[in-house]
Amino acid sequence: MAISDDSSGIETPLLEEDGVGSCLDYKGRPVDRTNRGGWKSATFIIGVEIAERFAYCGIDSNLVTYLTGPLGQSTATAAVNVNTWSGTAALLPLLGAFIADSFLGRYRTIIVASLIYILGLGLLTMSAALPSLNTSWCQNVDTSMLCSPQLQVIIFFFSLYLVALGQGGHKPCVQAFGADQFDARDPEEFKAKSSFFNWWYFGLCSGTLISFLVLNYIQDNLSWVLGFGIPCIIMVVALVVFLCGTTTYRYSVKRNEKSPFVRIGQVFVLAVRNWRTSSIAAEKEAHGTLPSAGSKQYKFLNKALLAPDGSKEHGKVCSIREVEEAKAVLRLVPIWATSLVYAVVLAQSSTFFTKQGATLDRSITTTVKIPAASLQSFISLTIVLSIPIYDRIFVPLARVWSGKPAGITMLQRIGSGMLLSAISMVLAALTEMKRLKTAQEYGLVDKPEATVPMSVWWLVPQYVVTGLSEMLTMVGLQEFFYDQVPNELKSIGLALYLSIFGVGSFLSGFLISAIDKATGGNGGESWFPNNLNKAHLHYFYWLLVALSAIELALYFYFAKSYIYNRASRQMQS
């Protein structure tokens, strides 16, 4: 589809959603809105995501237990391995999205990624079964590895990163493909697309919650082979379900033109080459060829509209459409950067929150205790309960008040969740201060193994607020990064959203290591000693509150000046 560079470029159709008009069915025919796409197709895709999250969280949530148990690794070594794998798994979607948007397309990438995923889970199951096949492989090794067959270790880590690779192709493409089933230029389907992101996350958290409650129990009490094998079977079922919906899907048409990565890169290259060329933006605006809203930001990119010698020779200049593409991507950078502290805060829910809970009274009855790691279920449960309320009650009411189809804008939703994440850190700090005071009052400061006589239910508020924060910010970020990128880069947009949490995970580890070294060096008292009753987690939580406040100020500044693409402006206003 060629876009001319004449005065019709004022409308910048590039940044609108192409909609049904540019979609085909599975036989390559134009899409009939009544029987292709919509909720019928999206239901298949949400079901696939529930299965994938069930499988992934079944590995991720209890990985440290397997590494320190059957594989015999030390706690420190296991922690390093888990953090490295989690960070890698969160960044690999960038690769998967690049392959989908540049070569295979989303549908084919999902199938290939699913096969890799299933292969990885199958090998993971086999590696868990190996010791029972031949225990003579057990050898004497160093302190990081007690007694585990070398072949098992090799196959385990190979299969683990194979799972990460499969997830990297699966994660951004499935969600983007699901959103593709709705036409954002149709008012009713635009509302449905916004609702889709809510129910997508509802399904994701449902799969996560079931995994926490079912797979963790099976792995801890029955069998690791069964605990790894069930996710493999579930992923096979998910692939079958996805293929069953083939005849109902809408497939986006790839334009027969340059790769979007090449187009965007060329804009920046030409803008740099034309750095000394003056008054180009003013000249173009005077002729009415630049969209007024978009041209007010990042004007230096307008210089890509002319060749270095000031001419307009064909092939040496970028089109208005290409310049607007580059600006759309560049506008995402401040939002991406100001979301990193949120990702650092979120990382604490699976680490220090759990360590807090392990020291408290977790008794339900005299014989039953809540596993410390299972406290994370309150986050998923909060999301599962709050999303229907948000989608069916809050959005319609807010729609009446604001006149916006989604009730509030995407950036307003993201910012509200960031504010709640800061509040969750305040609650965590106050709870930790009470826990330390209770330990001191009962003389337990030097008794790290003793249970602090304080109910674990004191931690529930910080988990609930974290869940509400996720419901707002995570879903908002997903919708935002999908909606605001050019049509051919939808998978990349969602991969950029996921990369926030990959980078945030690495930043969290770096921050903790730096603080530990700074406070624990030269015989000092570290904030994070092994004895949590002597720790200063509340200092760390207050630091995150301060960082969140700075983040919020910067975020609101950039969000206030953010210019949505044309299709979104029409729907957000």
Side-chain angles (χ1 to χ4, degrees):
M1 181 184 299
I3 302 296
S4 63
D5 215 8
D6 58 18
S7 60
S8 64
I10 295 175
E11 296 301 317
T12 58
L14 163 73
L15 295 182
E16 297 183 22
E17 290 293 313
D18 285 351
V20 176
S22 66
C23 291
L24 301 176
D25 66 9
Y26 72 107
K27 289 186 176 181
R29 300 170 301 192
V31 165
D32 182 353
R33 188 189 301 275
T34 60
N35 56 21
R36 296 289 186 271
W39 282 112
K40 179 180 179 180
S41 299
T43 302
F44 283 103
I45 298 169
I46 291 175
V48 170
E49 177 64 10
I50 293 174
E52 189 275 333
R53 282 296 92 184
F54 175 86
Y56 180 83
C57 291
I59 307 302
D60 176 69
S61 63
N62 219 15
L63 182 57
V64 70
T65 304
Y66 186 78
L67 293 177
T68 56
L71 289 194
Q73 292 188 345
S74 68
T75 301
T77 302
V80 169
N81 283 327
V82 171
N83 288 332
T84 302
W85 181 74
S86 297
T88 302
L91 292 176
L92 276 174
L94 288 170
L95 174 62
F98 171 77
I99 293 172
D101 287 341
S102 299
F103 304 106
L104 297 181
R106 290 189 263 280
Y107 178 79
R108 292 187 183 92
T109 302
I110 291 168
I111 294 175
V112 172
S114 296
L115 293 173
I116 295 173
Y117 214 137
I118 291 167
L119 177 61
L121 290 171
L123 290 175
L124 201 65
T125 305
M126 187 180 76
S127 73
L130 279 178
S132 63
L133 297 177
N134 190 347
T135 56
S136 64
W137 287 337
C138 187
Q139 302 175 4
N140 293 325
V141 286
D142 60 25
T143 56
S144 295
M145 194 76 65
L146 298 180
C147 187
S148 181
Q150 192 63 25
L151 180 60
Q152 181 199 17
V153 176
I154 293 172
I155 295 178
F156 175 79
F157 280 102
F158 174 76
S159 59
L160 193 64
Y161 279 88
L162 207 56
V163 169
L165 180 63
Q167 191 259 177
H170 196 278
K171 186 67 176 172
C173 296
V174 172
Q175 187 172 9
F177 191 64
D180 288 344
Q181 306 308 309
F182 301 93
D183 178 10
R185 292 191 297 186
D186 178 82
E188 291 303 316
E189 288 202 21
F190 179 86
K191 294 177 183 178
K193 174 183 276 191
S194 182
S195 184
F196 165 78
F197 284 98
N198 288 326
W199 291 104
W200 169 272
Y201 207 67
F202 175 88
L204 181 152
C205 291
S206 297
T208 301
L209 181 61
I210 296 170
S211 183
F212 282 151
L213 297 176
V214 177
L215 282 184
N216 286 359
Y217 176 84
I218 291 173
Q219 291 165 351
D220 288 346
N221 298 281
L222 299 178
S223 166
W224 284 101
V225 176
L226 189 61
F228 290 154
I230 291 176
C232 183
I233 295 171
I234 292 296
M235 277 305 299
V236 172
V237 174
L239 178 57
V240 172
V241 170
F242 178 74
L243 293 174
C244 285
T246 296
T247 60
T248 73
Y249 299 143
R250 297 175 183 174
Y251 301 87
S252 296
V253 179
K254 285 182 69 66
R255 295 187 178 98
N256 186 24
E257 53 188 28
K258 290 184 294 186
S259 163
F261 297 97
V262 174
R263 295 199 306 268
I264 292 171
Q266 188 177 31
V267 171
F268 285 97
V269 171
L270 285 178
V272 171
R273 287 181 180 177
N274 293 340
W275 188 258
R276 295 184 179 181
T277 306
S278 60
S279 303
I280 292 179
E283 175 190 343
K284 286 288 179 179
E285 287 176 351
H287 286 81
T289 57
L290 279 175
S292 58
S295 63
K296 292 179 181 178
Q297 287 187 322
Y298 309 117
K299 288 186 177 181
F300 69 92
L301 291 180
N302 296 341
K303 296 183 178 184
L305 292 167
L306 289 183
D309 58 1
S311 68
K312 300 181 182 179
E313 183 180 344
H314 179 70
K316 291 186 177 180
V317 300
C318 294
S319 67
I320 295 171
R321 175 171 171 260
E322 290 168 344
V323 171
E324 290 303 305
E325 259 186 342
K327 288 184 179 182
V329 173
L330 194 57
R331 289 188 193 103
L332 300 178
V333 174
I335 304 300
W336 185 92
T338 53
S339 300
L340 291 176
V341 174
Y342 172 79
V344 172
V345 170
L346 197 64
Q348 311 317 311
S349 63
S350 60
T351 53
F352 288 134
F353 282 17
T354 301
K355 289 185 70 67
Q356 279 181 294
T359 67
L360 301 178
D361 181 9
R362 293 174 282 117
S363 301
I364 297 178
T365 66
T366 55
T367 58
V368 178
K369 284 188 176 182
I370 302 174
S374 294
L375 293 170
Q376 296 176 66
S377 299
F378 285 106
I379 297 177
S380 299
L381 185 61
T382 299
I383 296 170
V384 168
L385 293 177
S386 62
I387 282 181
I389 296 173
Y390 179 88
D391 191 74
R392 298 304 180 188
I393 299 177
F394 173 79
V395 170
L397 291 175
R399 190 180 292 151
V400 172
W401 175 71
S402 67
K404 297 179 173 66
I408 57 177
T409 67
M410 292 177 279
L411 291 175
Q412 287 172 342
R413 179 172 185 169
I414 294 168
S416 300
M418 287 181 175
L419 177 61
L420 286 177
S421 75
I423 294 174
S424 74
M425 284 295 101
V426 172
L427 293 173
L430 294 175
T431 302
E432 176 62 10
M433 292 169 67
K434 177 174 176 58
R435 190 192 69 82
L436 290 175
K437 183 178 179 181
T438 303
Q440 188 175 21
E441 289 175 351
Y442 284 85
L444 302 177
V445 174
D446 295 315
K447 299 177 181 179
E449 302 300 325
T451 299
V452 177
M454 174 178 165
S455 174
V456 74
W457 300 110
W458 279 92
L459 297 179
V460 172
Q462 67 197 53
Y463 278 104
V464 170
V465 174
T466 298
L468 292 173
S469 169
E470 279 197 41
M471 183 271 295
L472 292 169
T473 298
M474 297 282 273
V475 179
L477 285 171
Q478 290 173 14
E479 185 176 4
F480 178 79
F481 278 91
Y482 174 87
D483 185 78
Q484 294 299 297
V485 296
N487 190 61
E488 299 98 322
L489 294 178
K490 297 302 186 184
S491 299
I492 284 288
L494 289 171
L496 284 172
Y497 143 75
L498 292 169
S499 72
I500 292 173
F501 301 96
V503 175
S505 178
F506 285 120
L507 286 177
S508 176
F510 171 77
L511 185 62
I512 292 170
S513 297
I515 292 174
D516 185 48
K517 185 176 181 180
T519 59
N522 299 322
E525 191 176 72
S526 171
W527 285 11
F528 315 113
N530 290 331
N531 182 358
L532 209 63
N533 293 336
K534 289 185 175 181
H536 299 286
L537 286 185
H538 57 301
Y539 291 171
F540 182 60
Y541 290 152
W542 287 122
L543 174 63
L544 291 182
V545 171
L547 291 176
S548 296
I550 297 172
E551 173 199 50
L552 276 169
L554 292 172
Y555 173 82
F556 287 137
Y557 171 79
F558 288 114
K560 185 177 180 180
S561 60
Y562 185 84
I563 298 176
Y564 288 90
N565 68 42
R566 173 172 289 275
S568 292
R569 283 202 302 273
Q570 293 171 347
M571 295 299 181
Q572 298 284 333
S573 60

